[in-house]
Amino acid sequence: MSSASFKGRKDKQLIMLNPETKLIPDLSKPAMAATRDGYGKGLMTAGEKDDRVVVLCADLTESTRCEEFKKKFPERFIEMGVAEQNLALVASGMANYGKIPFAASYAVFSPGRNNEQIRTNISLNNVPVKIVGAHAGISVGPDGATHQALEDIALMRVQPNMVVVVPCDAVEAEKATLAAAVNDKPTYLRLGREKSAVFTTPATPFEIGKAITLRDGADVTIIGCGMLLYNALMAAEELSKEGIECMVVNSHTIKPLDEKTIIEAAQKTGAVVSVEEHQVNGGLGSAIAELLAKNQPTPQEFIGLQDRFGESGTAEELIEACGLDIAHIKEAVKKVIARKK
Amino acid sequence: MSNYISESKIQELEIKANEARELLIEMLTEAGSGHTAGSLGMADIFTAFYFHILNHNPKNPDWAERDRLILSNGHICPIRYVAMAMSGYFPLEELKTLRKFGSRLQGHPEREKLPGVETTSGPLGSGLGQACGMAYAARMDKKPFRIYCAMSDGEHDEGSLWESAMFAGKNKLSNLTGIIDRNNIQIDGFTENVMPLENLRAKYEAFNWHVLEVDGHNIEQFIDAIEEAKAIFEKPTVIIAHTIPGKGLPEIEFDPAWHGKSPKPEEAKKFLNELRTLGGKIKSEHQ
Ligand SMILES: Cc1ncc(C[n+]2csc(CCOP(=O)(O)OP(=O)(O)O)c2C)c(N)n1
Ligand SMILES: [Mg+2]
């Protein structure tokens, strides 16, 4: 089992980190890149591999990183204008016909604005449209609350047939894009605007629906998705110095959730902290709580937006103000451990 | 010669519009991000609104009898913030807080944060429907004030906008005037390449609107059109204002690349000099 103690390395950090995950050698010195950049790279490869891959974009070609694809495959790029409802509908028609459409906009607009079009014509129709929601989360920063998608995971994970993937860094985003291109299912890919720590490597395993245990520990399990996973890892390192050992699980796929890994982790540690750049209502944390309530009731703390909107500010300011930083994760860990019976 | 406004008042407004452009460049540069092209392009129209057209009270933004100005294309809020500050809604100093943490001047305007912005906007295609709601409600209550809705051309790609346009036509909302910033750019390029809008006049006419077209940098023409709209009975009016994105700074005019970026400090210095010397026509910078 992947959550066993990882022996064989000298210092404590390396003992606790799962060597199978092949993270970067020095976690404290990651390169920085945005998950949307990883998507852009993955899209190029997906387009080269399969000429059924087409890209539709709603007047945001550069910022959603569809620009390179448009240049390389102009005949397979479709400009939709600022029309997200039609984006979802035309993509649905193309998928129904047999293409593999990636439909890109900002997450607030798609799957925000066009939710019902996605529900009926993509999820219920069960056609393999890849909905690419860029600029998701609070880290979009100065644009303010109108542009910070904080409910998109909830919107997408309640739709039957829909697969929901939230990559933790640019390297994982590239793999997720390639995996989505071949999974033959309606799929939501959630991407960030801001550069964030790249802590996985091309050798890190990735499979949709399979959570990755990044670090072992017996006291608590931190389960996260997206760029905040890096904060979770850093919190675990710091807590280790205080004698608290955290298991850290990368649950990049929110639907289908890797139930086995999460239940086993909850069994082993008896306490869970969920970490996501999303409302605590309805996101990854909720998915975990639903699962555990049925199978393995476990005390849980939720890191995320506590039923509030974001606002303008730098990503860093907002992450701190909304309680998504390392300090708040550490606090949540201590709180949940205290709740263990 | 306008029947509605004197020559000297027009000149006064033109000077104010230039001041507004300077403040815009300063605030956007300080913010480090934000939308320059559309904001500059609508500087003349927003100056005309805040200093001549609107019946409003900057000291009492919630005054029930005020005219309502909805900004549907919320990304050009910098020009609205500038016009509001200049007309006394809040101190000019506060413009420097644009897009900063804790500011009332959010990157896209929010009703709950800043009194006077009327509604939250940024997500495109949503202003006209709200303006329709206000116009319809005001008519129910026999209120005499007017509802204005500023829109961009790019947002006419949105289906919701046309749903609202159809509603306004059906209901003959003659207390509603739409203003379109027809600057021909959006993010991915020129509107006629991204998603052609023409024939825009014919489209609105087909939806039962009265349509006027003006040079959006000619304050006199714009004010005349606003006055004509007041006289149109049984139809909403839309003013297609032909504007130049980035207006006032020749090296960025017409360039879609300036849709969503702010000047760097070196650029700002040059731009401000250009505005203060009226494009080099006068030697010493006026202040
Ligand atoms: C519903 C929605 N989709 C996408 C966007 C992103 N967006 C912001 S401005 C813009 C371009 C619209 O063109 P226009 O308003 O004419 O731009 P401008 O002339 O001011 O440069 C887009 C696509 C948005 N704000 N709202
Ligand atoms: Mg435009």
Side-chain angles (χ1 to χ4, degrees):
Chain A
M1 201 193 92
S2 56
S3 57
S5 264
F6 309 119
K7 302 240 162 53
R9 294 219 196 164
K10 300 255 155 45
D11 64 87
K12 199 164 181 190
Q13 175 195 322
L14 293 176
I15 290 169
M16 303 315 289
L17 280 175
N18 178 356
E20 286 162 33
T21 63
K22 309 230 167 13
L23 300 185
I24 56 169
D26 184 354
L27 270 182
S28 67
K29 295 196 182 74
M32 303 293 281
T35 52
R36 59 177 169 153
D37 293 321
Y39 157 74
K41 265 176 96 176
L43 191 60
M44 295 302 284
T45 315
E48 279 154 19
K49 281 192 175 158
D50 191 334
D51 61 13
R52 291 173 303 166
V53 170
V54 295
V55 175
L56 301 86
C57 187
D59 198 22
L60 293 165
T61 307
E62 171 59 38
S63 61
T64 59
R65 297 297 187 257
C66 297
E67 189 74 23
E68 291 305 309
F69 185 96
K70 175 185 168 179
K71 284 192 188 129
K72 177 119 196 239
F73 307 107
E75 73 292 347
R76 285 199 264 146
F77 174 82
I78 300 133
E79 173 63 75
M80 297 305 299
V82 200
E84 297 79 13
Q85 298 179 71
N86 200 37
L87 170 76
L89 296 174
V90 173
S92 164
M94 290 201 145
N96 194 334
Y97 170 97
K99 301 284 183 191
I100 303 171
F102 282 75
S105 179
Y106 293 164
V108 262
F109 311 129
S110 178
R113 173 163 300 195
N114 56 10
N115 201 248
E116 189 277 333
Q117 278 86 2
I118 293 172
R119 175 185 182 273
T120 306
N121 309 291
I122 296 173
S123 296
L124 181 55
N125 258 347
N126 201 11
V127 290
V129 174
K130 315 305 161 184
I131 297 147
V132 180
H135 288 43
I138 194 92
S139 55
V140 63
D143 273 343
T146 56
H147 283 56
Q148 294 159 350
L150 298 169
E151 51 292 293
D152 51 313
I153 296 176
L155 288 172
M156 288 289 87
R157 82 175 184 88
V158 294
Q159 297 194 9
N161 295 330
M162 182 62 70
V163 171
V164 180
V165 182
V166 183
C168 66
D169 67 11
V171 169
E172 190 169 87
E174 186 179 349
K175 292 176 198 159
T177 305
L178 286 164
V182 298
N183 74 346
D184 202 31
K185 293 198 174 89
T187 303
Y188 176 49
L189 257 184
R190 182 188 215 229
L191 302 173
R193 172 190 186 278
E194 192 72 2
K195 286 189 172 146
S196 60
V198 182
F199 57 94
T200 70
T201 64
T204 307
F206 178 85
E207 188 187 324
I208 290 179
K210 185 123 195 41
I212 307 167
T213 303
L214 299 175
R215 186 185 201 287
D216 196 25
D219 300 322
V220 61
T221 309
I222 308 177
I223 307 174
C225 64
M227 70 171 201
L228 292 182
L229 255 175
Y230 183 73
N231 283 358
L233 277 172
M234 290 296 104
E237 291 305 318
E238 291 181 18
L239 285 164
S240 177
K241 291 183 193 120
E242 300 176 28
I244 298 171
E245 293 303 342
C246 308
M247 185 189 297
V248 179
V249 175
N250 174 6
S251 184
H252 48 70
T253 307
I254 286 147
K255 192 169 177 227
L257 200 61
D258 184 344
E259 301 189 348
K260 183 166 177 286
T261 300
I262 291 172
I263 292 169
E264 281 173 5
Q267 265 164 357
K268 178 174 172 189
T269 62
V272 168
V273 173
S274 54
V275 178
E276 62 194 313
E277 209 187 333
H278 187 275
Q279 298 291 355
V280 292
N281 300 323
L284 169 66
S286 295
I288 293 166
E290 289 159 15
L291 174 76
L292 294 181
K294 279 182 269 184
N295 298 281
Q296 177 72 27
T298 306
Q300 181 176 342
E301 291 294 322
F302 298 74
I303 293 284
L305 277 287
Q306 307 291 335
D307 197 25
R308 57 158 288 188
F309 284 109
E311 60 188 293
S312 289
T314 64
E316 209 181 322
E317 285 168 336
L318 294 170
I319 282 168
E320 194 187 321
C322 298
L324 314 173
D325 56 340
I326 296 170
H328 280 88
I329 296 173
K330 284 166 67 180
E331 221 172 275
V333 164
K334 289 178 183 166
K335 199 166 158 197
V336 81
I337 288 174
R339 287 171 57 200
K340 284 209 251 184
K341 281 183 223 93
Chain B
M1 262 278 296
S2 173
N3 292 320
Y4 301 104
I5 181 167
S6 72
E7 202 80 11
S8 64
K9 178 79 197 199
I10 290 168
Q11 267 174 18
E12 200 183 294
L13 291 175
E14 285 170 352
I15 290 167
K16 279 221 182 310
N18 207 48
E19 264 173 59
R21 289 191 165 90
E22 290 173 24
L23 288 167
L24 262 177
I25 295 300
E26 285 171 3
M27 92 185 285
L28 284 163
T29 309
E30 174 73 32
S33 65
H35 299 76
T36 303
S39 298
L40 281 168
M42 287 295 277
D44 301 298
I45 284 175
F46 270 79
T47 305
F49 263 122
Y50 275 86
F51 290 96
H52 184 74
I53 297 163
L54 289 179
N55 187 21
H56 65 137
N57 181 356
K59 296 294 166 229
N60 182 12
D62 296 331
W63 175 44
E65 302 303 315
R66 70 190 183 281
D67 289 337
R68 269 69 166 169
L69 172 59
I70 305 297
L71 175 61
S72 182
N73 50 328
H75 63 272
I76 69 159
C77 60
I79 187 58
R80 177 176 209 154
Y81 293 152
V82 163
M84 285 174 74
M86 287 173 74
S87 56
Y89 281 84
F90 54 83
L92 287 172
E93 235 350 80
E94 200 171 338
L95 293 174
K96 299 240 161 74
T97 68
L98 174 70
R99 292 179 157 253
K100 301 243 159 91
F101 185 64
S103 173
R104 300 196 295 170
L105 310 190
Q106 292 290 295
H108 293 82
E110 273 179 50
R111 178 178 185 271
E112 291 280 276
K113 298 254 194 250
L114 186 66
V117 298
E118 302 293 0
T119 192
T120 300
S121 61
L124 295 167
S126 298
L128 189 59
Q130 295 172 73
C132 285
M134 290 179 188
Y136 197 105
R139 191 173 67 189
M140 289 168 99
D141 290 355
K142 303 201 168 43
K143 294 287 187 188
F145 51 78
R146 298 196 60 82
I147 317 295
Y148 296 101
C149 182
M151 296 170 270
S152 67
D153 48 4
E155 71 171 322
H156 282 73
D157 296 357
E158 287 286 352
S160 61
L161 190 153
W162 294 102
E163 295 172 23
S164 308
M166 213 178 325
F167 176 91
K170 173 195 172 188
N171 291 292
K172 304 178 177 168
L173 296 177
S174 57
N175 55 349
L176 169 67
T177 304
I179 297 97
I180 302 173
D181 175 16
R182 185 66 173 118
N183 65 6
N184 290 74
I185 65 162
Q186 55 192 106
I187 292 182
D188 281 353
F190 295 110
T191 58
E192 299 318 285
N193 297 333
V194 173
M195 185 57 68
L197 294 175
E198 295 300 340
N199 187 333
L200 192 54
R201 165 186 280 274
K203 284 186 172 117
Y204 268 96
E205 281 172 350
F207 281 54
N208 211 24
W209 287 60
H210 183 65
V211 182
L212 298 168
E213 295 194 52
V214 300
D215 170 352
H217 306 300
N218 184 325
I219 289 177
E220 178 179 337
Q221 261 189 32
F222 182 67
I223 286 170
D224 285 359
I226 288 283
E227 292 300 330
E228 178 175 330
K230 291 182 188 167
I232 301 298
F233 191 56
E234 292 216 323
K235 272 187 186 186
T237 296
V238 65
I239 302 171
I240 302 176
H242 296 273
T243 64
I244 295 171
K247 171 71 179 177
L249 299 170
E251 63 259 64
I252 74 166
E253 285 178 1
F254 298 108
D255 183 358
W258 278 89
H259 155 87
K261 68 174 177 175
S262 62
K264 297 192 181 68
E266 324 81 75
E267 291 169 319
K269 230 172 125 187
K270 205 168 61 172
F271 292 167
L272 284 169
N273 177 268
E274 226 161 276
L275 290 167
R276 287 178 184 144
T277 59
L278 301 174
K281 281 193 215 94
I282 53 174
K283 291 234 159 52
S284 58
E285 292 192 9
H286 76 88
Q287 269 305 344

